[in-house]
Amino acid sequence: MRSYDSIQHVRGESKFVDDLTAPEGTLFGYVYYSPIAHGKILKLSFESALKVNGVHSVVTAADIPGENQIGGIILDEELFASKEVHFAGQPIAIVVAEDRVSGHKGAKAIKCEFEKLKPILDPREAFEKGELIIPPKIFSIGNIDSAWHQCDYIIDGKVESGAQEHLYLETQGALAIPLEGEGIRIISSTQGPTAVQKTAARVLNIPMNKVEVDVPRLGGGFGGKEDQATAWAVMAALAAKKLNRPVKIILPRQEDMRMTGKRHPYSSDFKIGLSKDGKILAYQVWYYQNAGASADLSTAILERTLFHSTNSYFIPNVKATAYCCRTNLPPFTAFRGFGGPQAMFVIESAIHKAAEVMGVEPSFIQKKNLLKEGDEFPFGQKTENCRAVKCFEEAEKRFDFSSQNLRVKKFNEENKLVKKGLAVMPVCFGISFTTTFLNQASALVHVYTDGSLRISTAAVEMGQGVNAKIMSIASQIFSIRPERILIDTTNTSRVANTSPTAASKGTDLNGFAAMDACNLILERLIKVAAEVLHTDNSSQIKIKDELVYLNNSKTEFDWIKLINIAYIKRVSLSAQAHHATPNIFFDREKMKGNAFAYHVFGTALVEATVDCLRGTYVIDSVKAVHDFGKSIHPVTDRGQAEGGIVQGLGWMTLEEVIYNDEGKLLTDALSTYKVPDIHFAPKELVVHFLEDVPNPYGPFQSKAIGEPPFMYGIGAYFAIINAMKSFRPAKSIIYNAPVTNEKVLMWLHSND
Ligand code: MTE
Ligand code: QUE
Ligand code: MOS
């Protein structure tokens, strides 16, 4: 079964914020933003903007009735810069106009004088200057100081990984409509409707019950609309209130790229100690996270980096220290993997370098140290239903690692200017928001008298297929055709206090909530059926394929008849349910706890070919064995795995975000920022579903899929540098992602 709105999508019929029929009199908001990375605002003059034809108003910090504050975890971010600007692209005002063109003209007419201050762009420099957003966070297990004495090899190194632009197809945007009284309705392209509601209420100084946020769907989010969709929605609401007219803001692509944060760049140091036989005995790591100008989700992301510092491996002595460094770049934010990929790239680099020193294959060290059942993570949780070895061995067997190695070796002996490289990439990703309270969701289910259903949950559909999965869950519970079910928009008036759709938890949380709500209705229907069929024992009643069965034999009652009898009998055909993930906790004092409901495992084999004359490369194949649990929706799950892998490949290879010395984004268009296309995607992309692996902690034994496959892409970095290495075996490797064509060429042909 394909994703249920795919036909609408390809026909161009699905409506995104900018496609909605806006109410008559809707005005357009155009954002005026800081051209400099750091400075004091001396004078803001917008009189000439107001003279531009079609311009109605300029909205600034001075128009805010409540607080000029949009921070989520930490209250450190202004909606509109009032006294100082902290990054190039920071919003200062919006011009509200009849249409986009006059809005743009108005913004160009605004004059702002600054006293320029020196920007900090580098996280290590921020660290040196004491610019930390929170005190350092540390995870540790065993005794790192005494562990070094037991090691036969100790290797240290430095690892860099770059930012990544989300490049959702639908840019950030919102439409705000003033309602009677003080009310406001906001249609937003956000992963976090409640965050928008809460922040709008704070800025507008009205209670949350007067703000309705509605989210029909997103043209992609990838984490970029978890926190950073809020500002535009609140600006639109503020302007709508001021002018008492509907206001729409849609960011043009280039300005979206300039104004919004991306995946956090990290600069890291590691020290790894191993025994002669390849056991990792000690691992120490320091992460310098480039957080950008305000906290956003950086602290939660930093924490997830620590959670994934040892990836799929058991290491008895670990000390991982993480610094959240404030710089004058846009606030970096959530992006698929949420800090996990950055951590995994460091440990994989450490293993790669250790393998080189020891003269063994990295996969030898990887395999030797895989997590086993009951092994303890540095945060104190022990593995359960651990499938690290199972996935690795299945991949090894299925994709025949040893003969692939021989083939590549032979190829490299026979070819002088073209080289191949292979890499194995195991992944272990924890499922749950590590901030425990966020692991909750609710659902509201209505059954109408024609037998059709309308379901609301907290889940936001952003292309990941959560609606198709919830539909499938409901259709299985009632045993009715999925066509009878409609998944409603995500709306704060129908489902309150929602966590963002994030952390790959959308289906787990909302699927369980929908399941519980459906079961409440089903129980009532079964009771009604038992009554009309004159039995006291409701366990004799079943609904199967839209028919009511008594003791396994068909009755005259079908789904629609049953619904109507229930209605006539005045039985409620609506239900609401709340779900909270059981048995998880995390103690931030001790940095220990069972933070995750379960883990997702898998192993990929990546092959790349490098043209050593030109520095270009192709990804020949990515082959993965992945633990999907028992998939609710295999087509969607495969799509998530393939999409995640290609996005991960992009982060490691082509996608390079470059800011100049003044903190200005140079790669602010698709001509300068390169993402994988169909030609770059691996020639062979195999995702094998690990068999017979039910997950007791997921709905219908399924597992979360949104983020974990992203990290298979990390294998591409090592496949490429392994190929480079066979061209210049004596030159030492650098760990600095993305490994762009330019970097490949420089490494192959320079003598530094
Ligand atoms: N897939 C598509 N097509 N579009 C997206 O925006 N976001 C990813 C992933 N897959 C995304 C996607 C991210 S960052 C997350 S956290 C999950 O989907 C969120 O959805 P889920 O929790 O329902 O899996
Ligand atoms: C994974 C996530 C998130 C997370 C923790 C994870 C996430 C998120 C938050 C978070 C934490 C504290 C807050 C808040 C959000 O934590 O997406 O508003 O106060 O938003 O392990 O994906
Ligand atoms: Mo995903 S980064 O948790 O939105």
Side-chain angles (χ1 to χ4, degrees):
M1 190 173 67
R2 56 171 93 81
S3 170
Y4 83 119
D5 50 6
S6 56
I7 291 178
Q8 287 194 132
H9 280 3
V10 296
R11 284 184 181 153
E13 290 169 1
S14 302
K15 291 204 187 294
F16 301 88
V17 177
D18 203 18
D19 305 317
L20 298 169
T21 312
E24 204 184 316
T26 297
L27 299 174
F28 199 86
Y30 204 99
V31 183
Y32 171 75
Y33 56 92
S34 172
I36 64 166
H38 194 194
K40 291 198 173 114
I41 299 177
L42 299 178
K43 189 164 175 245
L44 175 67
S45 17
F46 50 80
E47 294 71 27
S48 43
L50 290 171
K51 289 191 191 117
V52 172
N53 227 344
V55 170
H56 284 238
S57 179
V58 175
V59 180
T60 69
D63 293 299
I64 294 173
E67 290 170 56
N68 182 15
Q69 182 52 251
I70 60 165
I73 299 177
I74 298 173
L75 299 180
D76 71 344
E77 189 175 355
E78 290 186 327
L79 178 68
F80 290 124
S82 59
K83 296 188 184 73
E84 261 195 41
V85 288
H86 301 279
F87 66 92
Q90 185 175 1
I92 296 173
I94 58 170
V95 177
V96 188
E98 291 288 327
D99 53 67
R100 285 161 223 234
V101 177
S102 6
H104 188 196
K105 280 186 190 149
K108 280 201 292 197
I110 293 181
K111 298 267 176 307
C112 195
E113 287 168 36
F114 299 96
E115 178 193 331
K116 273 198 185 179
L117 298 169
K118 200 180 161 318
I120 298 176
L121 309 175
D122 175 64
R124 291 188 193 245
E125 186 190 338
F127 173 78
E128 296 294 326
K129 295 188 168 148
E131 287 289 335
L132 293 185
I133 290 177
I134 49 161
K137 282 186 190 252
I138 299 173
F139 277 24
S140 73
I141 188 170
N143 185 336
I144 194 75
D145 296 320
S146 61
W148 301 117
H149 307 297
Q150 305 158 29
C151 300
D152 299 308
Y153 295 93
I154 296 174
I155 297 105
D156 58 19
K158 188 174 174 186
V159 181
E160 307 281 338
S161 64
Q164 184 177 26
E165 165 61 42
H166 299 87
L167 220 90
Y168 24 67
L169 285 179
E170 179 198 24
T171 59
Q172 303 273 4
L175 166 64
I177 303 163
L179 305 176
E180 59 183 31
E182 291 186 300
I184 187 103
R185 179 158 196 266
I186 307 172
I187 298 150
S188 164
S189 181
T190 180
Q191 292 173 242
T194 292
V196 171
Q197 181 193 22
K198 191 174 175 175
T199 311
R202 186 201 292 152
V203 172
L204 299 176
N205 196 23
I206 56 175
M208 281 170 78
N209 65 4
K210 293 191 174 170
V211 184
E212 175 191 353
V213 180
D214 190 71
V215 186
R217 60 159 59 70
L218 272 55
F222 306 108
K225 294 173 183 170
E226 204 185 314
D227 235 32
Q228 300 213 356
T230 302
W232 330 107
V234 175
M235 285 174 200
L238 179 64
K241 281 252 171 194
K242 182 178 175 189
L243 296 160
N244 201 24
R245 294 269 292 265
V247 174
K248 178 154 98 172
I249 296 179
I250 304 286
L251 297 189
R253 174 67 65 189
Q254 190 168 47
E255 314 209 326
D256 185 308
M257 292 176 85
R258 288 177 185 166
M259 289 191 264
T260 64
K262 305 155 200 326
R263 179 185 298 285
H264 292 77
Y266 274 59
S267 181
S268 310
D269 297 314
F270 69 80
K271 187 171 164 193
I272 191 169
L274 301 92
S275 67
K276 273 200 293 286
D277 62 352
K279 273 264 176 214
I280 306 173
L281 301 177
Y283 180 57
Q284 194 163 6
V285 59
W286 298 263
Y287 305 105
Y288 298 85
Q289 179 198 50
N290 190 335
S294 54
D296 191 275
L297 295 166
S298 298
T299 54
I301 290 163
L302 192 73
E303 205 169 77
R304 197 173 262 277
T305 298
L306 291 170
F307 277 105
H308 294 299
S309 57
T310 53
N311 189 14
S312 242
Y313 312 108
F314 172 68
I315 307 179
N317 304 288
V318 177
K319 186 170 181 193
T321 308
Y323 306 107
C324 189
C325 309
R326 189 188 289 110
T327 61
N328 295 107
L329 292 174
F332 292 103
T333 193
F335 197 142
R336 212 171 192 168
F338 208 74
Q342 289 93 325
M344 292 187 197
F345 183 56
V346 181
I347 181 82
E348 294 301 327
S349 296
I351 290 173
H352 190 271
K353 192 163 182 185
E356 195 179 304
V357 171
M358 294 169 70
V360 297
E361 289 294 328
S363 60
F364 170 80
I365 299 175
Q366 289 170 325
K367 189 175 178 183
K368 190 122 207 165
N369 294 282
L370 288 172
L371 287 161
K372 308 219 167 48
E373 191 70 7
D375 278 348
E376 190 173 338
F377 288 102
F379 48 95
Q381 184 161 5
K382 292 189 171 133
T383 63
E384 189 191 336
N385 298 328
C386 182
R387 292 164 186 159
V389 173
K390 205 172 156 84
C391 288
F392 193 99
E393 288 182 346
E394 181 66 30
E396 196 174 29
K397 194 172 85 204
R398 190 166 277 274
F399 309 135
D400 200 354
F401 287 5
S402 56
S403 74
Q404 303 292 331
N405 267 319
L406 288 175
R407 178 178 54 79
V408 163
K409 210 173 230 161
K410 188 155 169 284
F411 180 95
N412 288 342
E413 279 161 14
E414 289 168 358
N415 292 274
K416 234 176 113 182
L417 296 176
V418 181
K419 298 289 184 186
K420 280 185 178 292
L422 277 175
V424 177
M425 182 66 204
V427 169
C428 167
F429 195 78
I431 302 301
S432 285
F433 287 95
T434 51
T435 301
T436 305
F437 74 83
L438 291 171
N439 293 286
Q440 55 177 319
S442 46
L444 176 65
V445 178
H446 296 313
V447 183
Y448 298 95
T449 51
D450 65 352
S452 66
L453 275 77
R454 197 164 172 114
I455 300 181
S456 299
T457 72
V460 167
E461 175 61 53
M462 52 186 129
Q464 88 278 38
V466 68
N467 285 0
K469 289 186 178 180
I470 288 172
M471 205 180 218
S472 163
I473 287 170
S475 97
Q476 286 183 64
I477 300 256
F478 290 116
S479 195
I480 57 170
R481 288 183 289 127
E483 291 76 16
R484 291 197 188 277
I485 301 165
L486 187 141
I487 308 293
D488 211 336
T489 62
T490 318
N491 185 297
T492 54
S493 301
R494 271 180 266 113
V495 178
N497 309 322
T498 66
S499 295
T501 301
S504 304
K505 281 286 266 193
T507 299
D508 281 17
L509 291 171
N510 297 283
F512 271 130
M515 192 182 277
D516 289 352
C518 290
N519 273 323
L520 289 172
I521 298 174
L522 181 66
E523 278 166 32
R524 295 177 206 147
L525 292 174
I526 298 276
K527 217 173 127 207
V528 167
E531 266 171 54
V532 296
L533 291 166
H534 310 292
T535 167
D536 296 333
N537 188 353
S538 52
S539 68
Q540 296 172 331
I541 307 280
K542 290 259 144 27
I543 302 175
K544 221 180 123 231
D545 298 331
E546 310 209 336
L547 289 174
V548 179
Y549 284 72
L550 174 64
N551 288 322
N552 296 320
S553 49
K554 271 186 202 168
T555 69
E556 58 178 300
F557 299 105
D558 66 6
W559 171 250
I560 294 177
K561 249 190 195 161
L562 180 61
I563 296 300
N564 277 281
I565 295 168
Y567 173 71
I568 299 293
K569 283 180 172 290
R570 296 186 291 171
V571 170
S572 166
L573 292 171
S574 298
Q576 194 267 355
H578 176 263
H579 175 80
T581 308
N583 305 324
I584 50 168
F585 66 95
F586 186 65
D587 180 341
R588 286 235 165 82
E589 303 269 292
K590 301 197 182 85
M591 290 295 196
K592 298 278 178 194
N594 288 353
F596 299 116
Y598 60 89
H599 283 82
V600 170
F601 299 91
T603 296
L605 177 70
V606 184
E607 183 177 330
T609 305
V610 176
D611 178 334
C612 298
L613 215 51
R614 295 177 177 83
T616 55
Y617 48 73
V618 293
I619 308 298
D620 302 305
S621 64
V622 177
K623 301 176 194 169
V625 168
H626 185 83
D627 168 19
F628 290 84
K630 193 168 175 301
S631 177
I632 296 177
H633 207 286
V635 174
T636 295
D637 280 354
R638 184 179 293 284
Q640 283 294 295
E642 293 178 352
I645 288 170
V646 175
Q647 204 168 32
L649 293 176
W651 176 50
M652 283 283 113
T653 59
L654 307 179
E655 298 184 41
E656 192 173 31
V657 174
I658 303 174
Y659 293 95
N660 72 9
D661 295 346
E662 303 197 309
K664 257 193 201 163
L665 182 64
L666 299 180
T667 50
D668 61 1
L670 289 172
S671 51
T672 45
Y673 187 75
K674 293 298 177 189
V675 290
D677 59 8
I678 193 65
H679 303 289
F680 184 78
K683 303 296 156 275
E684 204 185 349
L685 182 45
V686 179
V687 180
H688 175 74
F689 286 54
L690 191 67
E691 284 149 20
D692 301 319
V693 282
N695 171 34
Y697 304 109
F700 292 141
Q701 308 288 325
S702 67
K703 277 198 174 184
I705 183 65
E707 293 166 289
F710 179 94
M711 285 148 280
Y712 296 136
I714 295 171
Y717 187 91
F718 298 98
I720 290 167
I721 63 171
N722 287 340
M724 288 157 60
K725 187 84 190 159
S726 61
F727 185 79
R728 287 192 69 174
K731 188 165 179 175
S732 66
I733 289 290
I734 48 163
Y735 301 94
N736 184 345
V739 57
T740 58
N741 292 165
E742 292 89 325
K743 280 193 205 156
V744 173
L745 197 67
M746 293 301 284
W747 189 87
L748 290 172
H749 301 289
S750 70
N751 284 319
D752 46 22

